[in-house]
Amino acid sequence: MSPDTKKSKATLINIDVTGALKFRAAAILAAAKAGESPIRVIAADIQHHLGSQQVNAMVGRMIREWLGPTFKVVGRKKWPREHGTESGAIYAQVG
């Protein structure tokens, strides 16, 4: 894959994840407050991107940045997917 293709793909992922974060903001925040994994809320919207460690880590980082400093990662939780399982960070509200 050429560097231009990788850059374009990353841009598409960023656009899709940012859109999912905006569209499902209330549900993501509710999941984080309830001790559920926020990525599970948007996984169906971005499932075509998920799968590689690099992409999964980037999505997790984007969610952490979106939640901001009032949440900290306290663990991980797995859930079943169509093909295997997925896991995502769970958060606790601080301060």
Side-chain angles (χ1 to χ4, degrees), residues 9-22 25 28-29 32 38-39 42 46 49-50 53-69 71 73 76 89 91:
K9 186 174 183 182
T11 301
L12 292 175
I13 294 167
N14 287 333
I15 290 168
D16 287 351
V17 173
T18 300
L21 289 171
K22 288 179 183 177
I28 293 165
L29 193 56
I39 195 166
I42 63 170
I46 61 168
H49 294 299
L50 296 174
Q53 179 62 34
Q54 182 180 9
V55 169
N56 292 357
M58 183 181 73
V59 172
R61 204 168 33 254
M62 290 177 74
I63 291 171
R64 281 191 304 280
E65 289 173 4
W66 185 85
L67 286 171
F71 286 89
V73 175
R76 296 192 68 75
Y91 297 83

Side-chain angles (χ1 to χ4, degrees), residues 24-36 38 41 66-67 70-71 93:
R24 303 202 185 278
I28 293 165
L29 193 56
K33 287 180 177 179
E36 293 296 324
V41 174
W66 185 85
L67 286 171
T70 59
F71 286 89
Q93 203 163 7

